[in-house]
Amino acid sequence: MSKFTSNHIQAKKPMWQTVAAVSLGFWLSSCLVLDLVIMPTMYGAGMMAEPGFVSAGYSIFSAFNRIELLCAALVLTGLLVTVKMHSPVGGNWGRWAVVAAVMLLGIVCVDTYSLTPQMSALGMQLNLFDAATEAPVAMDRMHESYWVLEVIKVLGGGMVLYWFSRQQELAAE
């Protein structure tokens, strides 16, 4: 029975690593497209000054944040399984990759449950008869926080992707 269990786990090892790496690649590339293509295009087109942009932005980011949560969970799960299977091979990289994956999940939770709702609440114009106003100073600070978290997310995700590629090289030897 032990031999069957060992073979069964060995068969699942590459699948989890692949699932985690593909999820992470999809997640990071989606973030970069949203941050570097879609949002600047919307800003340049003047859509952010439109009265309905806040509710539309909240809908877009709320849905995207849920996808990010799913990707972060898949990355962390796949990484934990991979580290468990490769612990002698992975060394300290495995521990640091797990720390990075937990940090990535934490960033997504902050974005999903704190920044996105607060930014939407600050930007929401509740009085339809008031003229459009400037964005509050707190909104600028939240945007700065968002960008700092995005940079950390991309760097941490890059580190985890590097660890996955390193694991593939070590496993091939």
Side-chain angles (χ1 to χ4, degrees):
M1 186 69 171
S2 171
K3 186 175 181 181
F4 173 76
T5 305
S6 175
N7 289 340
H8 180 68
I9 290 172
Q10 287 289 58
K12 297 292 182 189
K13 172 183 54 177
M15 181 194 68
W16 272 110
Q17 188 168 348
T18 303
V19 166
V22 168
S23 298
L24 185 57
F26 167 75
W27 175 21
L28 292 178
S29 63
S30 299
C31 287
L32 291 173
V33 167
L34 184 70
D35 292 339
L36 301 177
V37 176
I38 295 173
M39 292 310 293
T41 301
M42 293 172 84
Y43 182 76
M47 293 178 72
M48 292 186 173
E50 295 293 321
F53 178 76
V54 173
S55 59
Y58 179 75
S59 297
I60 291 168
F61 276 98
S62 179
F64 184 73
N65 287 340
R66 295 325 186 263
I67 293 169
E68 283 189 297
L69 281 171
L70 176 64
C71 289
L74 285 171
V75 168
L76 182 58
T77 302
L79 188 59
L80 289 171
V81 169
T82 304
V83 167
K84 181 69 175 167
M85 295 298 147
H86 291 292
S87 57
V89 178
N92 285 334
W93 268 105
R95 288 187 206 109
W96 285 112
V98 169
V99 168
V102 170
M103 178 189 66
L104 292 172
L105 180 61
I107 288 171
V108 173
C109 287
V110 167
D111 284 348
T112 303
Y113 300 114
S114 180
L115 278 179
T116 300
Q118 286 181 8
M119 289 170 76
S120 297
L122 276 176
M124 191 69 68
Q125 186 174 350
L126 298 178
N127 189 346
L128 295 176
F129 301 110
D130 282 347
T133 59
E134 292 282 324
V137 175
M139 182 71 83
D140 291 337
R141 280 189 242 124
M142 286 185 190
H143 276 111
E144 290 169 4
S145 299
Y146 173 79
W147 282 105
V148 167
L149 290 175
E150 284 297 296
V151 168
I152 293 170
K153 185 190 327 177
V154 169
L155 292 175
M159 186 184 99
V160 174
L161 278 176
Y162 174 77
W163 185 82
F164 278 132
S165 69
R166 179 116 169 102
Q167 279 304 117
Q168 288 288 43
E169 292 171 7
L170 291 174
E173 291 176 355

